[in-house]
Amino acid sequence: MAVQSIHFDKTIKSLLDEKKYQTLKDILVTMEPADIAAVFEELDEGRVPLLFRLLPKETAAETFAELEAPHQELLIRGFSDRELHELVNELYVDDAADLVDEMPANVVKRILAQADPEMRKEINEILRYPENSAGSIMTTEYVSLRPTMTVAEAISRIRKTGVDKETIYTCYVTEGRRLLGAVSVKDLLLTADDEKRVSEIMDENVIFVSTLTDQEEVAQMLSKYNFLALPVVDTDNRMVGIVTFDDAMDVLVEETTEDIEKMAGMLPSEKAYLHSTPWDLFRHRIPWLALLMVSATFTGLIITGFENALAAQVVLTAFIPMLMDTGGNSGSQASVTVIRALSLGELEFADAPRVIWKEIQTAVLCGLALSMLCFAKIMLFDRLLLGNSGITVLTAFVVCFTMALTVLLAKIVGCSLPMAAKRIGFDPAVMASPFITTIVDALSLLVYFGIATALLF
Amino acid sequence: MAVQSIHFDKTIKSLLDEKKYQTLKDILVTMEPADIAAVFEELDEGRVPLLFRLLPKETAAETFAELEAPHQELLIRGFSDRELHELVNELYVDDAADLVDEMPANVVKRILAQADPEMRKEINEILRYPENSAGSIMTTEYVSLRPTMTVAEAISRIRKTGVDKETIYTCYVTEGRRLLGAVSVKDLLLTADDEKRVSEIMDENVIFVSTLTDQEEVAQMLSKYNFLALPVVDTDNRMVGIVTFDDAMDVLVEETTEDIEKMAGMLPSEKAYLHSTPWDLFRHRIPWLALLMVSATFTGLIITGFENALAAQVVLTAFIPMLMDTGGNSGSQASVTVIRALSLGELEFADAPRVIWKEIQTAVLCGLALSMLCFAKIMLFDRLLLGNSGITVLTAFVVCFTMALTVLLAKIVGCSLPMAAKRIGFDPAVMASPFITTIVDALSLLVYFGIATALLF
């Protein structure tokens, strides 16, 4: 069971107060780095370095990698050069590269100065790749084997070189850095004949990605194939690193959060909610709010255009919110479903006709059900129960007919826009609820006033 | 690089037409089960069994596990008892349990009849646990070691028993089924001294879950700790299985999709979009659409209540959509952010005061910016450019003041409702955009007409 962090924070704080460092060491050694990091995030800043120094070297590096950037910076600023040297060279290369990517320039300078030459070279290698590419999230620490090795030789190589590798369970068979195949430790261990060659048992049909492949695609491939790691090759087809499943899981969660933020009309943020200031939140939220507010001008203009009609039939105004909301909801159901399916790779642009046809059929079903319900509601509740005699059967018909048409238009717009966005290389996620709502609002009012003008005046 | 499935489907179809079975076999043997499954899903139903029989036994089982339920059923119905026997006993236990869970009763009967007694026992074991619990997604096939074994004995045990296990890389040290510790194959291989005892190198602080732990929590723990597998213990603290990272990734994706569907006002569906009929989509979408449509009655009533005011100042109507949409967008930004943070475990109910205070500050910033922009827009565009003389400075002030208040109310409602839902054990995800929009619509109209009545009449 996960450590109950709330009680735990208190225990650790009081042990720190009482300077019981040996007890603290004994407790920390039993904890997972992710849990230690969570405790650190809750401590007063001044106490973090003290507690950090109680950690065993390896745990210290792993805990450091789990911390958020502000805490990392705080720690580094407090470190002596020797401490920094130890930490940096204990980190996995991909974590070190992330760190360099996030720290301010003067801290980066110190980090690179303390990194061993080999480490520095590999960090710089990873930093060359564009953000969100496979190259930028890969690690260069993997086990490589020669095709001519025997199983016994391979196992002995793993035992000798494995300690620094992020994973030893999938090994890559290379020749002159060219990727020939992959072999798992399971295959090696389960091969009864120790003298068999690696080339005989390796899987030659290795699935690999390029350094420039988008990280989301890499993560989806790892998830689809249930692999522990995927090899990354450069443009000259030489193997340069691997992406491991744990980084892929983080990418999946991160990219989904970004999608969700975009779908709700926000610019994606990398900071956790509790670490964001109101100013951060404001900057990420105001652009879409402002844009959508200004686009609502069209809706306003439509209403102004029919001002006289509305003045004559004020009862029509009361149904505007219901029509607009139902349109918005119908549209966002379709758009969100399509956006999610696109980002999971279940849909492609080529599926557009099937998708639109499916949405039209669904819209007809939804539209029929809703207009019947709406008709019953208007006649029984608004007219009979509330005695609003301004509502005639014809008014109810106008509202319900608008409802059905709006649902149809909303579903078509809702499913088409994300696919069109994908097609022209835009992010489909921004074509979600808020955007669709604004378009559907205008459409539903045009339909409403169009039908009303034709039938009621 | 992943196989380009579109071209590939064609190749496979034409090879099938030409009956080139040996070539097909040669191609299939190079492919990953997930890719073969994708090809199957695109084939005519009649050809699937034929192609399936060309697969090597192990690949056949893995491919089968990747297929969607309708294709699985189709294959099973076509199998002889012997074929079914071979397949079922080659499946991993968790996949077999999933299969039994999804097939109709008469198919289940055949499957269980063909399963070996041990397999049948384990399937039934897994099926005893509630849906979405760790017990229901675990596999009972893991490597267990005794604490008294030496490293050499442990490795030799893995080599002997590992072939049927879903993962061999994390082994669990048990005594009388009680979980004592975990040891990784990496630790075993990198221990130089073959005569060391497992008890000396094992990690005694194993993080485990109970059979009843929610699958989403299990997935988040695997992702947080970067583990390959998590052990599952029953209520008597005996180890009964493991959950592996690949299943956790699937759970994460599935649960997020469910959250997204709920946030867009849909009942979650287990079927992929392209496999859902319009009737399926209708059933999942109509409940919220209908409920929200009916709740818009309140908004209608508010407008009806101020009918006379609106008739006197028709210009006010034109701003209703802008106010409602901006309120809805502001509210859904807050609610979606909070829902996501809750489901990632970044927020708890105890954080509510901090969250509400943060949202109030953000709302003040957004509200100020939006009302200033709105004031400028109304005065310059609506009044000056369009020459709408019905709009006075006072009207503009009423609209902008309403805007600021609406944004404030929307953000407070948007962040509070999901936290309140979480508190009382409801799913926070249903407190998203559509629901918030309906509430905020009513609030914004009340504020609007309240201010307008006070200042304009």
Side-chain angles (χ1 to χ4, degrees):
Chain A
M1 205 64 39
V3 178
Q4 294 299 310
S5 64
I6 295 173
H7 297 285
F8 221 71
D9 289 353
K10 281 197 193 144
T11 313
I12 288 188
K13 275 178 200 158
S14 58
L15 285 171
L16 268 171
D17 287 336
E18 297 163 28
K19 304 205 162 103
K20 296 208 168 152
Y21 299 131
Q22 191 51 49
T23 319
L24 275 169
K25 267 192 186 179
D26 294 341
I27 294 176
L28 288 171
V29 90
T30 70
M31 288 171 66
E32 290 298 323
D35 288 324
I36 303 177
V39 171
F40 278 21
E41 307 263 345
E42 293 298 320
L43 280 183
D44 309 337
E45 296 201 340
R47 304 172 120 182
V48 172
L50 177 61
L51 199 57
F52 191 79
R53 289 191 178 96
L54 296 175
L55 295 174
K57 207 168 87 178
E58 205 183 308
T59 317
E62 283 180 53
T63 305
F64 187 86
E66 296 276 349
L67 288 170
E68 302 263 346
H71 277 82
Q72 291 179 327
E73 189 178 338
L74 182 86
L75 275 171
I76 295 182
R77 292 198 185 273
F79 281 159
S80 68
D81 281 352
R82 228 196 84 224
E83 284 175 313
L84 184 58
H85 177 86
E86 249 184 27
L87 172 79
V88 169
N89 297 295
E90 188 71 30
L91 286 176
Y92 286 123
V93 171
D94 53 344
D95 293 330
D98 283 349
L99 182 65
V100 167
D101 211 23
E102 285 180 357
M103 292 295 114
N106 54 347
V107 176
V108 167
K109 217 167 142 188
R110 274 192 71 204
I111 296 173
L112 290 178
Q114 292 306 325
D116 291 335
E118 178 64 11
M119 181 67 144
R120 195 159 50 232
K121 200 178 129 248
E122 290 182 354
I123 292 176
N124 284 322
E125 167 91 357
I126 293 174
L127 290 178
R128 278 196 304 126
Y129 297 106
E131 212 185 344
N132 300 336
S133 66
S136 75
I137 56 162
M138 71 183 183
T139 179
T140 49
E141 296 159 324
Y142 59 92
V143 179
S144 66
L145 301 174
R146 305 259 153 271
T148 49
M149 283 177 169
T150 62
V151 167
E153 283 167 349
I155 292 180
S156 121
R157 180 174 158 89
I158 294 171
R159 297 182 84 154
K160 246 180 289 170
T161 65
V163 68
D164 287 333
K165 309 305 185 203
E166 196 156 335
T167 182
I168 63 161
Y169 300 131
T170 311
C171 306
Y172 298 92
V173 187
T174 54
E175 203 165 47
R177 292 190 66 194
R178 216 160 43 82
L179 179 62
L180 301 181
V183 63
S184 69
V185 162
K186 185 171 179 178
D187 295 334
L188 288 171
L189 283 180
L190 301 189
T191 299
D193 176 5
D194 271 356
E195 292 310 306
K196 248 197 178 153
R197 303 267 157 203
V198 165
S199 57
E200 293 171 71
I201 62 164
M202 74 185 182
D203 177 3
E204 292 172 53
N205 304 104
V206 197
I207 293 192
F208 58 90
V209 295
S210 122
T211 46
L212 301 177
T213 308
D214 187 80
Q215 61 172 1
E216 192 169 4
E217 197 183 321
V218 179
Q220 273 166 2
M221 285 171 70
L222 271 157
S223 152
K224 175 176 162 196
Y225 297 119
N226 300 336
F227 288 159
L228 285 174
L230 263 180
V232 183
V233 303
D234 67 11
T235 37
D236 297 329
N237 262 319
R238 286 169 315 182
M239 174 150 180
V240 290
I242 57 172
V243 176
T244 50
F245 78 95
D246 49 318
D247 295 326
M249 269 180 143
D250 292 345
V251 166
L252 278 184
V253 170
E254 209 179 276
E255 295 272 350
T256 311
T257 303
E258 274 190 19
D259 271 6
I260 292 178
E261 286 171 337
K262 285 183 203 150
M263 285 195 255
M266 291 178 277
L267 305 180
S269 150
E270 293 201 348
K271 275 195 199 169
Y273 180 74
L274 283 180
H275 294 116
S276 306
T277 62
W279 180 251
D280 290 331
L281 294 176
F282 168 72
R283 282 186 304 122
H284 286 98
R285 292 181 184 181
I286 196 70
W288 274 105
L289 281 183
L291 185 68
L292 294 171
M293 184 188 80
V294 171
S295 11
T297 306
F298 296 106
T299 337
L301 288 179
I302 295 170
I303 293 187
T304 312
F306 289 87
E307 216 165 58
N308 298 332
L310 278 178
Q313 283 266 3
V314 184
V315 69
L316 288 180
T317 313
F319 297 108
I320 291 181
M322 182 181 69
L323 290 170
M324 279 179 22
D325 283 351
T326 306
N329 291 335
S330 304
S332 62
Q333 287 181 334
S335 69
V336 164
T337 309
V338 168
I339 292 167
R340 182 66 181 160
L342 283 170
S343 84
L344 289 179
E346 288 174 4
L347 277 186
E348 287 164 29
F349 184 73
D351 298 312
R354 277 166 81 185
V355 171
I356 294 174
W357 176 230
K358 208 185 276 272
E359 288 298 333
I360 290 177
Q361 296 174 75
T362 311
V364 169
L365 289 172
C366 288
L368 278 178
L370 289 175
S371 10
M372 287 189 294
L373 180 63
C374 184
F375 195 82
K377 193 217 85 163
I378 294 179
M379 295 312 287
L380 295 178
F381 183 80
D382 295 325
R383 188 181 150 91
L384 249 141
L385 201 66
L386 298 185
N388 192 335
S389 56
I391 299 171
T392 61
V393 176
L394 195 58
T395 324
F397 177 76
V398 168
V399 172
C400 296
F401 191 40
T402 306
M403 172 81 70
L405 263 182
T406 303
V407 170
L408 182 64
L409 290 173
K411 296 263 182 221
I412 294 176
V413 171
C415 72
S416 314
L417 283 189
M419 307 209 73
K422 174 94 180 180
R423 176 65 183 176
I424 58 174
F426 268 49
D427 188 336
V430 300
M431 297 297 172
S433 323
F435 193 78
I436 301 278
T437 301
T438 305
I439 296 181
V440 169
D441 279 355
L443 286 177
S444 63
L445 287 177
L446 283 177
V447 170
Y448 190 33
F449 294 135
I451 296 177
T453 314
L455 294 184
L456 293 180
F457 299 104
Chain B
M1 205 61 47
V3 178
Q4 295 298 311
S5 63
I6 295 172
H7 297 287
F8 220 71
D9 289 351
K10 282 198 194 141
T11 315
I12 289 189
K13 275 178 198 156
S14 57
L15 285 171
L16 268 173
D17 286 337
E18 297 162 30
K19 305 205 160 103
K20 297 210 168 150
Y21 300 131
Q22 190 53 48
T23 319
L24 275 169
K25 267 192 185 181
D26 293 342
I27 293 176
L28 288 171
V29 89
T30 70
M31 287 171 67
E32 291 296 324
D35 288 324
I36 303 176
V39 171
F40 278 20
E41 307 264 343
E42 293 298 321
L43 280 183
D44 311 336
E45 297 202 340
R47 304 172 119 181
V48 172
L50 177 62
L51 200 57
F52 191 80
R53 291 193 176 95
L54 296 175
L55 295 174
K57 205 167 91 177
E58 205 182 308
T59 316
E62 283 181 50
T63 305
F64 187 85
E66 296 277 349
L67 289 170
E68 303 262 348
H71 278 81
Q72 291 180 328
E73 191 179 334
L74 182 84
L75 275 171
I76 295 182
R77 292 199 186 273
F79 281 160
S80 69
D81 281 352
R82 229 195 85 226
E83 283 174 315
L84 184 59
H85 178 87
E86 249 183 28
L87 172 80
V88 169
N89 297 295
E90 189 71 33
L91 286 175
Y92 286 122
V93 171
D94 53 343
D95 293 330
D98 283 351
L99 181 66
V100 168
D101 211 22
E102 286 180 356
M103 292 295 113
N106 54 346
V107 177
V108 167
K109 218 168 142 188
R110 272 194 70 205
I111 297 173
L112 290 179
Q114 293 306 324
D116 290 337
E118 178 64 11
M119 181 67 145
R120 194 159 51 230
K121 199 180 129 246
E122 291 181 353
I123 292 176
N124 283 322
E125 167 91 355
I126 292 175
L127 290 178
R128 278 196 305 126
Y129 297 107
E131 213 186 344
N132 299 336
S133 67
S136 75
I137 56 163
M138 72 184 182
T139 178
T140 48
E141 295 160 323
Y142 58 91
V143 179
S144 65
L145 302 174
R146 304 259 153 270
T148 48
M149 283 176 169
T150 63
V151 168
E153 285 167 347
I155 293 181
S156 121
R157 180 174 159 89
I158 294 171
R159 297 182 83 155
K160 247 179 291 169
T161 65
V163 67
D164 287 331
K165 310 302 185 203
E166 193 154 337
T167 181
I168 63 161
Y169 299 133
T170 311
C171 306
Y172 298 93
V173 187
T174 55
E175 205 166 46
R177 293 191 64 193
R178 215 159 45 81
L179 179 62
L180 300 179
V183 64
S184 69
V185 163
K186 186 171 178 178
D187 295 333
L188 287 172
L189 283 180
L190 301 187
T191 299
D193 177 5
D194 270 358
E195 292 309 307
K196 250 198 176 156
R197 304 267 158 202
V198 165
S199 58
E200 293 172 71
I201 62 164
M202 73 184 183
D203 178 2
E204 292 173 54
N205 303 104
V206 197
I207 293 193
F208 58 90
V209 294
S210 120
T211 44
L212 300 177
T213 308
D214 187 80
Q215 61 172 0
E216 192 169 5
E217 198 183 320
V218 179
Q220 274 166 0
M221 285 171 71
L222 272 158
S223 153
K224 174 174 162 198
Y225 297 119
N226 301 335
F227 289 157
L228 286 174
L230 263 180
V232 183
V233 303
D234 66 12
T235 38
D236 297 329
N237 263 316
R238 287 170 313 184
M239 175 153 179
V240 289
I242 57 172
V243 176
T244 51
F245 78 95
D246 50 318
D247 294 326
M249 269 178 142
D250 293 344
V251 166
L252 278 184
V253 171
E254 207 180 279
E255 295 272 350
T256 313
T257 303
E258 274 189 20
D259 271 6
I260 292 178
E261 286 171 336
K262 285 183 204 151
M263 285 196 256
M266 291 178 277
L267 304 182
S269 149
E270 292 199 349
K271 274 195 199 169
Y273 181 72
L274 283 181
H275 294 116
S276 307
T277 62
W279 180 250
D280 290 332
L281 295 175
F282 168 72
R283 281 185 307 123
H284 286 98
R285 292 179 184 183
I286 196 70
W288 275 104
L289 282 182
L291 184 68
L292 294 170
M293 185 189 78
V294 171
S295 15
T297 307
F298 296 106
T299 339
L301 287 180
I302 296 170
I303 293 187
T304 312
F306 290 88
E307 216 166 57
N308 297 333
L310 278 177
Q313 285 265 2
V314 184
V315 69
L316 288 180
T317 313
F319 297 108
I320 291 181
M322 182 181 68
L323 290 170
M324 279 180 20
D325 283 351
T326 306
N329 291 334
S330 304
S332 63
Q333 287 181 335
S335 68
V336 165
T337 309
V338 168
I339 291 166
R340 181 67 179 159
L342 283 170
S343 84
L344 290 180
E346 288 175 5
L347 278 187
E348 288 165 26
F349 183 74
D351 298 312
R354 278 165 82 185
V355 170
I356 294 174
W357 177 230
K358 207 184 277 270
E359 288 298 332
I360 290 177
Q361 296 174 74
T362 311
V364 170
L365 290 170
C366 289
L368 279 177
L370 289 175
S371 14
M372 287 190 294
L373 180 64
C374 183
F375 194 82
K377 193 218 87 165
I378 294 178
M379 296 312 289
L380 296 177
F381 183 80
D382 295 323
R383 190 180 148 92
L384 250 139
L385 199 68
L386 297 187
N388 190 335
S389 56
I391 300 170
T392 62
V393 175
L394 196 58
T395 322
F397 177 77
V398 168
V399 172
C400 296
F401 191 41
T402 306
M403 172 83 70
L405 263 181
T406 302
V407 171
L408 182 64
L409 290 174
K411 296 262 183 221
I412 295 176
V413 171
C415 73
S416 314
L417 283 190
M419 307 209 73
K422 173 94 180 177
R423 177 66 183 175
I424 57 172
F426 267 51
D427 188 337
V430 300
M431 295 297 170
S433 321
F435 192 78
I436 301 279
T437 302
T438 305
I439 295 181
V440 169
D441 279 357
L443 287 176
S444 64
L445 286 177
L446 283 176
V447 171
Y448 190 34
F449 294 133
I451 297 177
T453 314
L455 295 183
L456 293 180
F457 299 103

